[in-house]
Amino acid sequence: MNYRWFLAGIIFLLLIIQVVVSNRISTSGLEINRLQEEIEYANEENRILNEKIASASSLLVLKGKAITQGFAKNSIPLYLSSDLPVAFDLR
Amino acid sequence: MLLYLAIIIRLFYWQVISGNQLAQLASDQYFFNLTLQASRGKITASDGSILVTDKNAYLLYAETKNILNKESVIDKLNETLGLDKQSLISMLDQKNAVWIPIKHKINESEFEKIKSLDLKGIGFAKENDRYYPESSMAAHLLGFVGKNSAGEDKGYFGIEGYYNRALQGKAGSLNMEKDAKGLPIPVAGEKRIPAEDGQNLELNLDRSVQLIIEEKLKQGIEKYGAKNGLIIVMDPATGGILGMASEPKYDPIKYSEYSEELYQNPVITNSFEPGSIFKPIVMAAALNEKRIDPKTKFNETGPVKIGEYSIKTWNDKYNGELTATEILEKSSNPGMVFIAQKLGKNKLLSYIQKFGFGKKTGIDLEEEISPDLRPNDDWKEIDLATASFGQGIAVTPIQMIRAIGAIANEGKIMEPQIVKKITDNKGKVIERKPKIVSTVLDKSTAKILTEMMISAVDKGDAKWAKPKGYRIAGKTGTAQIPVAGHYDEKKTIASFVGFAPADKPKFVILIALREPTSSPWGSETAAPLFFSIIKDLFSYYGLSPQD
């Protein structure tokens, strides 16, 4: 008998909890919608920024900027040999 | 009684016969289904810089019933997007259509312009489009994204085509209950299958190398008056393709404006008779079989007769006694016939196959072909003679560079690879390891042949263009083009294949120019172009002269 009362009490408590929780979250659809819109907006912004970064770091763009800023290709590189001249070789 | 019967019949109709349909209509009102779009994977160069990525785009559509002034809408769309008025009229005049797609993949600025016009009945749906920050760089290698018969995005040619499944990802879905205002009801639960974004591909391609070879190729074609050309740069140790350029090419963003013929990548789809750049292959085979050594002598006194045919030198001048090394230096055709005869028919054909000719390389690009080799029994004496100097045998450029790459790689043939790494949407990385296809030469043979090819560069016809202080192995080629059963006397494919630094090669390069008009000879066109590229590559890789 006590066991049945105990079970009934648990069920009643769970019902109350369900009503309270459902009541609380039933109006959070608005918040969910707002958050989803924010996520989408952030994702879109990310995409646009990634596009801008890719564009700005494009070799063709960098080449164009280098030319306008007066950089020129060095056609005669100067090589510093790793071998010392005999006079400097102290071994 | 009749009234009750009528009510029951009506109820039966609504609840049983139309029950499912009405339940579906109701469900559509309080459930919403959303397709969660997957982003197509990125393609990056070896330094992580983006070659291809997705960007925001929009589908412009019309809801005909909501359009107030059709003529005004048509005028404004024509003005803003340049859409043909007649096409717009026929689209919007469709009587039974409620929703009409007008234009796919309009960009952000076009979207903002049309949005600001606030046209009733005109709407936008989000789409993805491909973005190429490097414009048309490596177009043939990358391929493009078009539409399949179902109107879905699909990759064609190159990497986009070969790896389409990996790149496209999988769309997800969201099924959720909504209230009267269209807001989600969390208590009712949702069924969400998340979208799986496409996998990202990192290539072996070096952006700077690609830029160098594309510029040089364009300049070379113009300078030498060639019809078209191609350059491949490969790491012989790994098979990784560092650069691949061909002209003419197309812009993958505007691919539909180009002829379909241009979509094919000539590096893997065109076959050609290689001419003298094939000589190192035959020489390698004879050395490996110990039929000759670098000092084996041949007496070049005049043309060599094979049946009714005469094999002459390229300039019909004869140099007397030549060593095997000098045969390569002078690019002697009679000398190569002698080498091939020393090797023998069976061994020559066996090595041609061992070097990978007659079968696809397995490179990860769509549409690779391989010209067939004649069956062994069909080879006549003249065919073997001409094959010894690279005529009468058809190869693709990728087969040719892979074979020469084996000489640079201690005799090991590597599988050419475009993609280095694949990363999925969870961050898991799959590395494609370099693959040794086979070992075709002994290490010692590869070393000997390398020295012979260095000599061919240092003492050959193109020595004037070679940068000083570097050991570069290479071979020039001038192949006649077969036209309707005979060889054209004036048209050639001028080529050069080589690797450097010869002792520890960083790259192997093949250049081919079709029908150069300034000079038909590889030594005067492809060779100087090769050396011009290599000077820039030495500088880029910080490789100082060895002498």
Side-chain angles (χ1 to χ4, degrees):
Chain A
M1 197 66 174
N2 283 339
Y3 172 66
R4 277 185 199 163
W5 278 113
F6 176 72
L7 264 176
I10 296 281
I11 290 166
F12 182 71
L13 183 65
L14 287 170
L15 274 167
I16 301 289
I17 291 170
Q18 192 194 358
V19 167
V20 167
V21 169
S22 300
N23 199 42
R24 279 200 146 178
I25 66 172
S26 61
T27 53
S28 51
L30 192 63
E31 183 68 7
I32 291 172
N33 210 46
R34 188 188 66 78
L35 287 168
Q36 272 172 353
E37 276 174 10
E38 261 183 47
I39 291 169
E40 244 185 70
Y41 179 75
N43 283 337
E44 254 186 61
E45 285 292 295
N46 257 350
R47 263 210 184 161
I48 293 170
L49 285 169
N50 279 335
E51 203 183 308
K52 284 184 179 165
I53 291 169
S55 173
S57 55
S58 143
L59 271 187
L60 296 171
V61 165
L62 290 171
K63 188 185 161 192
K65 283 187 178 168
I67 291 169
T68 52
Q69 288 180 20
F71 285 91
K73 190 177 154 184
N74 179 13
S75 54
I76 309 169
L78 176 67
Y79 295 103
L80 298 171
S81 171
S82 55
D83 294 332
L84 289 172
V86 171
F88 290 141
D89 193 346
L90 300 173
R91 282 174 291 172
Chain B
M1 187 66 188
L2 277 172
L3 187 63
Y4 285 132
L5 196 62
I7 290 168
I8 289 165
I9 290 169
R10 201 66 183 148
L11 280 173
F12 180 83
Y13 173 76
W14 287 120
Q15 288 183 338
V16 178
I17 295 169
S18 303
N20 286 337
Q21 192 192 349
L22 291 170
Q24 185 60 46
L25 281 170
S27 167
D28 288 346
Q29 281 187 321
Y30 57 79
F31 267 110
F32 73 74
N33 296 306
L34 188 65
T35 304
L36 303 172
Q37 253 190 346
S39 290
R40 195 170 172 89
K42 278 188 294 202
I43 302 174
T44 57
S46 57
D47 60 355
S49 56
I50 291 172
L51 294 170
V52 194
T53 186
D54 261 3
K55 67 171 185 177
N56 288 338
Y58 301 87
L59 161 65
L60 176 70
Y61 64 82
E63 289 170 309
T64 47
K65 289 198 172 133
N66 297 340
I67 295 176
L68 298 173
N69 185 343
K70 216 184 272 183
E71 282 80 27
S72 165
V73 165
I74 289 169
D75 284 338
K76 288 195 175 136
L77 290 180
N78 167 257
E79 238 177 76
T80 344
L81 293 180
L83 296 173
D84 176 53
K85 271 189 183 176
Q86 218 30 66
S87 312
L88 283 167
I89 291 168
S90 40
M91 268 191 250
L92 297 180
D93 273 349
Q94 291 173 65
K95 283 189 180 144
N96 297 323
V98 171
W99 185 94
I100 300 163
I102 297 176
K103 190 179 180 193
H104 283 276
K105 303 202 193 286
I106 63 166
N107 59 39
E108 283 282 349
S109 70
E110 287 169 332
F111 163 72
E112 292 296 337
K113 271 187 210 161
I114 300 169
K115 197 172 163 194
S116 65
L117 297 172
D118 197 24
L119 299 169
K120 290 270 177 289
I122 295 295
F124 305 93
K126 287 212 184 106
E127 277 190 324
N128 291 334
D129 197 7
R130 283 314 238 175
Y131 174 54
Y132 301 83
E134 304 292 352
S135 188
S136 60
M137 182 195 274
H140 280 118
L141 185 147
L142 295 171
F144 61 86
V145 175
K147 295 278 182 205
N148 63 12
S149 50
E152 296 155 343
D153 283 349
K154 184 181 180 294
Y156 293 92
F157 300 94
I159 290 288
E160 293 274 23
Y162 190 91
Y163 288 97
N164 182 59
R165 261 218 168 147
L167 286 166
Q168 72 185 5
K170 215 171 169 183
S173 64
L174 175 63
N175 183 271
M176 201 169 192
E177 216 171 320
K178 59 182 180 182
D179 63 18
K181 283 188 179 172
L183 298 170
I185 303 174
V187 171
E190 65 173 38
K191 273 187 212 153
R192 180 188 288 265
I193 300 171
E196 284 176 33
D197 288 340
Q199 294 173 342
N200 297 328
L201 307 179
E202 183 183 313
L203 309 187
N204 284 295
L205 189 104
D206 186 312
R207 254 194 330 170
S208 304
V209 170
Q210 185 69 22
L211 186 67
I212 290 168
I213 64 174
E214 286 201 359
E215 282 183 349
K216 295 283 184 183
L217 179 60
K218 229 182 192 152
Q219 288 164 8
I221 286 174
E222 202 182 304
K223 184 175 180 182
Y224 302 118
K227 222 177 182 178
N228 57 51
L230 57 89
I231 301 177
I232 318 166
V233 183
M234 187 178 86
D235 180 345
T238 64
I241 300 295
L242 306 173
M244 186 185 280
S246 36
E247 284 282 348
K249 63 180 180 185
Y250 64 96
D251 185 344
I253 304 164
K254 301 175 203 160
Y255 67 89
S256 56
E257 295 173 23
Y258 293 80
S259 161
E260 283 183 21
E261 284 169 2
L262 279 178
Y263 301 160
Q264 308 260 357
N265 184 349
V267 169
I268 57 168
T269 60
N270 281 14
S271 62
F272 71 116
E273 293 191 13
S276 297
I277 58 171
F278 197 76
K279 287 173 180 169
I281 305 294
V282 177
M283 193 67 81
L287 283 166
N288 209 49
E289 289 297 312
K290 311 271 188 273
R291 303 292 169 95
I292 61 161
D293 63 51
K295 296 208 169 94
T296 299
K297 292 215 175 16
F298 165 69
N299 207 358
E300 190 190 64
T301 50
V304 168
K305 271 207 144 307
I306 309 279
E308 53 176 327
Y309 303 100
S310 280
I311 310 287
K312 298 179 191 174
T313 57
W314 64 271
N315 55 0
D316 212 8
K317 289 186 178 134
Y318 300 89
N319 299 284
E321 203 173 65
L322 295 173
T323 62
T325 304
E326 285 165 340
I327 288 172
L328 268 192
E329 285 170 17
K330 307 277 181 219
S331 201
S332 163
N333 291 346
M336 285 311 302
V337 173
F338 164 75
I339 300 291
Q341 286 169 342
K342 279 273 199 189
L343 182 57
K345 171 187 165 180
N346 291 334
K347 283 289 178 189
L348 176 58
L349 295 178
S350 162
Y351 270 88
I352 288 174
Q353 285 165 24
K354 278 186 196 177
F355 269 101
F357 298 106
K359 43 182 186 268
K360 294 183 194 178
T361 63
I363 190 171
D364 44 343
L365 289 173
E366 217 181 44
E367 311 259 321
E368 187 190 7
I369 63 136
S370 169
D372 291 326
L373 292 174
R374 247 174 270 143
N376 286 7
D377 293 338
D378 287 358
W379 285 78
K380 299 186 197 74
E381 204 188 342
I382 186 61
D383 300 320
L384 292 165
T386 53
S388 72
F389 50 88
Q391 301 268 196
I393 177 170
V395 305
T396 59
I398 194 67
Q399 286 172 334
M400 195 65 231
I401 196 174
R402 184 176 72 156
I404 297 292
I407 299 167
N409 190 33
E410 298 180 343
K412 293 186 279 267
I413 293 191
M414 304 303 291
E415 181 185 77
Q417 291 179 346
I418 304 287
V419 168
K420 190 161 70 172
K421 269 187 222 171
I422 302 172
T423 309
D424 72 11
N425 57 3
K426 292 187 181 92
K428 184 180 163 193
V429 177
I430 301 164
E431 286 219 32
R432 293 189 74 220
K433 300 262 186 288
K435 184 176 165 188
I436 301 173
V437 175
S438 62
T439 303
V440 67
L441 302 171
D442 297 335
K443 201 168 157 182
S444 55
T445 306
K447 205 162 179 230
I448 292 167
L449 189 52
T450 299
E451 290 300 327
M452 291 169 80
M453 288 175 74
I454 292 170
S455 202
V457 166
D458 288 344
K459 295 175 186 169
D461 287 315
K463 60 179 179 278
W464 58 273
K466 185 206 153 215
K468 289 188 175 57
Y470 291 96
R471 280 166 53 85
I472 301 166
K475 184 73 192 75
T476 55
T478 306
Q480 289 183 292
I481 300 174
V483 176
H486 68 279
Y487 285 107
D488 192 296
E489 287 201 5
K490 288 186 182 154
K491 293 178 185 169
T492 62
I493 292 178
S495 55
F496 192 97
V497 70
F499 50 91
D503 302 306
K504 206 176 175 186
K506 191 94 178 145
F507 35 76
V508 54
I509 302 175
L510 169 68
I511 295 175
L513 297 172
R514 191 176 186 92
E515 298 177 38
T517 51
S518 64
S519 160
W521 306 109
S523 57
E524 291 172 1
T525 52
L529 181 56
F530 172 90
F531 292 122
S532 164
I533 289 168
I534 237 179
K535 269 187 212 155
D536 282 1
L537 292 184
F538 284 150
S539 184
Y540 173 63
Y541 282 111
L543 300 166
S544 47
Q546 288 136 312
D547 300 337

